[in-house]
Structure formats: structure tokens, C-alpha cells
Amino acid sequence: MRADNRLPGTPTKTKKRRAYSATGSSKEMWLLLLPALIPVVVLSVYPLVQGILLGFTDAAAGYNRPVNFNGIDNYTELLGNDLFWQSFRVGLIWAFSVTILQFLASMGLALLLNMNLRFRGVARVLALVPWAIPPVIIAIIWRLMLNPTAGPVNSTLAALGLPSDINWLGDPTFALPAAIVVGIWAGMPQTTVTLLAGLQNVPSDLHEAAALDGAGAFRRFRSVTIPSLLPIIFAITTLDFVWNFNQFALVYVLTAGGPGGQTMLPMLFAYNEAFKYGNFGYASAMGNVMVLIIAALLVFYLRRQAKERQS
């Protein structure tokens, strides 16, 4: 019998072949991913890195104006800017109000659409209509509806004998509540569809068992439906809050941040600093602060999801 004269630890031909195969597969995998990675790097990673770097400079509009590194000056100035904190406060009010009220309205609509009602299919299609309309078009439609002199909202109020001279988007008292109503209407379809899908996955035998135990409709909703939907509720409220806090197009077309900054969301404030006043470095610093806040929320969301998967 032929003796095996290989030194201890020397890889066999099979191991060498497997290692070569694994290396080759890895290279092929990266080559296949390369066409998809290039647009991601060019369109996402590069602008992000460029924005981070700009936040530490005094970059501003101007022909052949030099760009100098100024450390954390932009961040120091930002933290001492009352208008920034006002926009941050307005952004939190907007995001919390739209997210919570949108969830409650969507839950009610999803429960209604989940019932065996006549024309349920038509009602589901109508509920999805705002989803098919771009935010800019939604804002234009609502500007027409809320027009103080010719809008149907004030005309309806006048027909009902109610005060009808309200300048919804021009009065500091009503501008933010009116924008919140529009934001709720615009975001309801996706929240409703998500909740409706969750409702249809709740086991019917749980409701039947609760009914046999004497639980009424509200008790079944509280003890069966809500616990079954908790992972979905947490996911959509977290993601909706992030989306609403970063809202720009809808509110910009509705009010452009006015009147008097009452609807000045953080993204609108950063936009004005960059493209209205030409302070690119300062606006980038503000964008970086917003990225950190949103990243903290997303880390919280991902950690919560990981714990749910483990449990």
C-alpha cells in the first residue's frame, strides 16, 4: 500500500479545490453585483460623504469662492440658532401628530374595509386613491380646496352657517393644523393597506374562542386584534414617524414654511439655508444632524425587530 508522505497540516487536493472554488465564487459574486453597486455608490454613498464633508466647511454660493475647513463652527452656530430649534419643535409636532392621528384613522378605515360590507371592493379602491397621487399634486389640490375665498371647504362651512372666512394656510393659528390634516390624508393609504393585511392574518379561531368566552367586540379588539398586530403597529408607526419628520414636498407646496415659520419643518429650514441664502456648509451641517437623529430612530427600530425575532 502506498504510503502518504505529505507533511501534517498540508491541505489535500480536495481542500485546495474547495478553497479555489470558494474564492472564484466570491469574485464572480462581486462581478455580478458590480452593475448594481455602482449606481448605489454614485447616487447614495458619494452624496452622503460629500454632505458630511461640506458640513465642516464654510462652502457658500459665489463664483470662484474658496471653500475652507472650519471644524465644528457650523454645528456650534446651529445649536445656538433659535430658528433651528423652532423648526425642530414644529417638525416634532408635525411628525407626532400626523403619525398618531394617521394611525388611528387608518385603523378605523382598515377595520371598516375588513368587514363583509356591500361594495367593499369599490371602497378599498377609493381608499387607495391618494396613494396614486404625487405629494406635489396633493398639495396643489388641497391649496385649492382650502382657498379662503373660492375653496369648497369654506363654501361648505358657509352653507352650514358656520364661520367661513378662515384663511386656513395663511393664518398662523390654522396653518399647522391644516397642514397636519393634509399630511394625514396623504399618508393614510399605505398605513391602511398594511393594517388591513395584518387584520386578515389574525386567526379567526382566536376571535371565535374569545366570543365563546363572552367577550364583546371591543374586548376582542383589545385582547385579540391589538396584540396580534403589535409588530406591524410598531413597524409602521416608527417608519411613518421617520418619513413624516423628513417631509418636504407636501408642506413646501402647501405653505413654504409660513406663515411666520409656523410650518417650517427642519427639511424646509435646511432647504432655505442652502438654496435661498446659499449657505451650503451650514445647510449640510443641519442635514448631518438630521441624519444622526433619524439613524438613532432606525437603530432603535432594528434592535427592537431583532429582539422580536429572537423571542
Side-chain angles (χ1 to χ4, degrees):
M1 186 176 179
R2 185 177 178 181
D4 187 356
N5 56 358
R6 288 183 291 108
L7 295 175
T10 302
T12 63
K13 291 182 179 179
T14 304
K15 289 182 179 178
K16 285 182 177 179
R17 193 177 300 115
R18 286 177 181 173
Y20 176 78
S21 177
T23 305
S25 299
S26 177
K27 289 180 179 177
E28 291 173 358
M29 179 188 72
W30 284 108
L31 285 174
L32 291 172
L33 288 175
L34 194 58
L37 286 176
I38 290 176
V40 172
V41 172
V42 173
L43 300 176
S44 298
V45 178
Y46 174 73
L48 179 63
V49 174
Q50 184 75 2
I52 293 173
L53 295 177
L54 273 178
F56 295 96
T57 69
D58 62 351
Y63 182 70
N64 281 340
R65 188 182 184 281
V67 177
N68 302 307
F69 178 77
N70 62 359
I72 60 172
D73 289 355
N74 290 331
Y75 297 92
T76 305
E77 183 180 349
L78 188 65
L79 295 178
N81 190 337
D82 292 337
L83 293 178
F84 166 71
W85 290 113
Q86 181 185 347
S87 71
F88 193 79
R89 179 182 63 82
V90 172
L92 288 178
I93 294 173
W94 157 272
F96 273 114
S97 301
V98 173
T99 302
I100 293 173
L101 297 176
Q102 181 177 288
F103 167 74
L104 295 176
S106 300
M107 176 62 85
L109 184 59
L111 289 171
L112 188 64
L113 295 176
N114 197 40
M115 296 178 179
N116 291 321
L117 301 176
R118 196 177 181 186
F119 303 119
R120 185 174 62 173
V122 177
R124 287 181 176 180
V125 172
L126 292 176
L128 293 176
V129 166
W131 208 352
I133 306 175
V136 173
I137 305 301
I138 288 176
I140 293 174
I141 292 173
W142 276 93
R143 278 182 66 92
L144 296 174
M145 293 179 63
L146 296 173
N147 187 286
T149 56
V153 173
N154 277 358
S155 300
T156 304
L157 292 176
L160 296 174
L162 298 173
S164 58
D165 56 347
I166 302 174
N167 187 358
W168 294 101
L169 299 176
D171 190 314
T173 304
F174 298 104
L176 184 58
I180 288 173
V181 171
V182 178
I184 293 169
W185 186 84
M188 273 186 62
Q190 57 265 38
T191 309
T192 301
V193 168
T194 307
L195 290 173
L196 182 59
L199 287 171
Q200 292 178 344
N201 286 325
V202 177
S204 58
D205 54 345
L206 293 179
H207 281 284
E208 293 169 359
L212 289 175
D213 289 341
F218 180 74
R219 179 68 181 276
R220 293 199 301 274
F221 175 74
R222 190 185 64 181
S223 304
V224 176
T225 304
I226 292 296
S228 301
L229 293 179
L230 273 182
I232 296 176
I233 292 173
F234 176 74
I236 60 173
T237 51
T238 304
L239 297 177
D240 279 350
F241 181 85
V242 171
W243 171 260
N244 290 321
F245 194 68
N246 276 331
Q247 181 59 254
F248 173 78
L250 185 70
V251 180
Y252 181 77
V253 178
L254 270 179
T255 62
Q262 293 299 313
T263 59
M264 184 65 73
L265 302 184
M267 287 298 108
L268 273 71
F269 182 77
Y271 174 86
N272 286 339
E273 287 294 333
F275 300 105
K276 188 173 180 180
Y277 305 117
N279 299 323
F280 299 133
Y282 188 62
S284 297
M286 186 172 180
N288 293 337
V289 171
M290 301 304 296
V291 168
L292 289 177
I293 294 172
I294 299 303
L297 287 172
L298 291 177
V299 168
F300 170 72
Y301 166 71
L302 293 174
R303 291 186 64 179
R304 176 66 181 267
Q305 291 291 89
K307 285 183 180 178
E308 287 181 357
R309 283 196 295 270
Q310 290 175 357
S311 61

